[in-house]
Amino acid sequence: FGIHALLVLTVTLSPVPATARSENNVTGEGAYPPLWDLAPENLLDFQVKDNKIVINAWNYQERLGVYKSLLNASAKYFGAFGPQNSGNILWGLPLQHGWQFRTGRLADPSGVTSCSYENGEHLCQSVRSWWSSMNYYLAIIPFLGAVEAGLFGQLPYEIEILSPEEQKDDFCYSVKDCWSRMPKLMDDWKTFFEVNNSVTFSSFKLDDALGLMWKAHTTSIAYALPKFQDSLKYLSDPEANFGKDWAHAVDFIAATHFCTDLPTTNNFQAFLPQRMLLEGDVPPSISDFSPQQNKVLLSLRSLHKTDKLTGGLLLKLWRKAMSTEAGREKGRNLIESLTSS
């Protein structure tokens, strides 16, 4: 079954031949999310009010600061895997968010407000943005799980996350609140950070850490998807389909324990669409997208459709094929070949 899944997926994705990846600019300026240098460095750089650290998660720079705090606090576990914390597997989260910001996916898609537009509130993140709301569960929930796991040590203040103006019930705003409303999500992220926080450096195993991180990641997406189904109505059909295809593909990527360090994520993201998809955008014939970007979009669509047609059998077979370290290595090579130029 495992080999069959690999073959089916290979045919489905029909990847371009793999070529040597460039490792240039691994830690250069262009490798980081937009405005990374301006984001808060640690938790005490945020506003402190009424004995609480107050974080506005609907401001791009502050949500980026949450990620930066996580990366800085966990750097000690990943020092052996790359210079300047580039081997930290948490890089995938802020880099993905930076791509969303850069491509306009965090702006108000309904056009009712000026949220996240150049001539309006540039750093605003709209709660009407499907991407922004989904990302909340891959930013604030991991962060609060890390707080609970003791990644930041004993904090002098409680954490308070500001609520958005709309859809307040779709989110949680403190460690206690999130534990009461979504214990499974919090537990998965806490477990990831707890295990990393407790192991000695010599016993740290990257594949195990990636397994725990991806488990929490996919749980977050599965929980958030039905919540924000209505937000897809603000998007064009091609963009809404791409969002759903991308969320679905994460299950396949997760099963390989794909490494989400700085260089690997940057190489991978180079082939994601550099703007929102519009009505009339049909891969593989989107003229201002590269052949690889068109191919990735088409592959994600095919993967989603095929898995749906088989009633989820493709994903089950794929997960079975990825149940060993050797299988996961083949899976990662397959994904990398898809995005090779």
Side-chain angles (χ1 to χ4, degrees):
F1 279 136
I3 293 170
H4 179 66
L6 273 169
L7 289 173
V8 170
L9 198 69
T10 305
V11 170
T12 305
L13 297 182
S14 53
V16 293
T19 57
R21 295 184 306 157
S22 168
E23 298 297 338
N24 293 338
N25 206 25
V26 165
T27 54
E29 189 180 336
Y32 297 98
L35 309 179
W36 185 252
D37 287 345
L38 301 177
E41 293 275 340
N42 59 64
L43 295 188
L44 295 180
D45 288 338
F46 289 96
Q47 181 189 9
V48 177
K49 186 179 178 183
D50 299 330
N51 278 327
K52 290 181 179 177
I53 296 169
V54 181
I55 298 172
N56 180 6
W58 302 98
N59 173 285
Y60 169 73
Q61 207 163 303
E62 292 205 24
R63 200 182 289 194
L64 203 60
V66 165
Y67 284 130
K68 201 170 188 179
S69 301
L70 276 175
L71 276 151
N72 286 341
S74 60
K76 57 191 171 185
Y77 305 115
F78 298 96
F81 301 105
Q84 299 173 53
N85 203 22
S86 63
N88 194 321
I89 61 174
L90 290 172
W91 272 114
L93 298 173
L95 287 170
Q96 180 76 173
H97 196 47
W99 164 77
Q100 293 164 356
F101 177 76
R102 194 168 55 246
T103 58
R105 287 179 162 84
L106 304 180
D108 179 358
S110 69
V112 171
T113 69
S114 62
C115 182
S116 198
Y117 291 98
E118 287 288 348
N119 59 350
E121 301 164 78
H122 178 51
L123 296 177
C124 171
Q125 289 194 208
S126 176
V127 72
R128 293 188 176 200
S129 159
W130 180 84
W131 294 96
S132 179
S133 294
M134 290 290 293
N135 177 264
Y136 192 96
Y137 283 81
L138 294 170
I140 301 306
I141 309 303
F143 166 66
L144 293 176
V147 170
E148 183 75 346
L151 185 71
F152 300 99
Q154 194 67 38
L155 290 172
Y157 309 107
E158 284 183 44
I159 305 279
E160 181 186 354
I161 311 295
L162 297 181
S163 63
E165 292 180 5
E166 303 174 69
Q167 299 173 228
K168 294 182 182 181
D169 291 343
D170 288 334
F171 308 95
C172 61
Y173 307 104
S174 67
V175 170
K176 188 178 178 183
D177 182 31
C178 293
W179 266 113
S180 66
R181 292 168 63 180
M182 44 198 78
K184 169 69 173 145
L185 268 63
M186 286 290 285
D187 190 52
D188 279 0
W189 282 110
K190 182 181 178 229
T191 299
F192 165 70
F193 286 108
E194 243 172 10
V195 168
N196 291 337
N197 208 15
S198 64
V199 296
T200 59
F201 185 76
S202 59
S203 66
F204 185 92
K205 192 173 180 189
L206 194 60
D207 186 67
D208 292 342
L210 283 161
L212 288 169
M213 187 206 68
W214 278 116
K215 181 175 183 279
H217 191 119
T218 52
T219 303
S220 283
I221 289 179
Y223 184 90
L225 266 176
K227 267 188 182 301
F228 304 114
Q229 186 70 23
D230 286 350
S231 298
L232 292 167
K233 69 186 177 190
Y234 297 120
L235 304 175
S236 69
D237 285 346
E239 179 69 17
N241 284 332
F242 166 59
K244 289 183 284 187
D245 293 344
W246 179 235
H248 173 262
V250 169
D251 282 326
F252 285 85
I253 295 167
T256 72
H257 294 186
F258 190 79
C259 187
T260 44
D261 61 15
L262 186 70
T264 310
T265 305
N266 272 322
N267 276 311
F268 185 70
Q269 286 200 160
F271 301 105
L272 294 180
Q274 77 273 18
R275 61 163 173 81
M276 298 273 279
L277 296 177
L278 308 172
E279 297 295 350
D281 281 337
V282 182
S285 306
I286 305 176
S287 59
D288 61 331
F289 284 11
S290 70
Q292 289 80 16
Q293 286 170 330
N294 270 291
K295 191 172 189 65
V296 166
L297 285 174
L298 190 63
S299 299
L300 294 178
R301 183 93 282 245
S302 299
L303 185 63
H304 196 176
K305 281 184 176 177
T306 305
D307 194 44
K308 217 170 179 179
L309 282 171
T310 61
L313 179 62
L314 184 60
L315 179 58
K316 285 177 186 170
L317 291 171
W318 179 251
R319 281 175 170 159
K320 187 171 178 65
M322 299 298 108
S323 61
T324 65
E325 283 198 47
R328 289 193 289 274
E329 187 178 357
K330 287 179 183 174
R332 290 191 295 271
N333 289 339
L334 189 58
I335 291 169
E336 288 179 13
S337 72
L338 173 64
T339 54
S340 295
S341 55

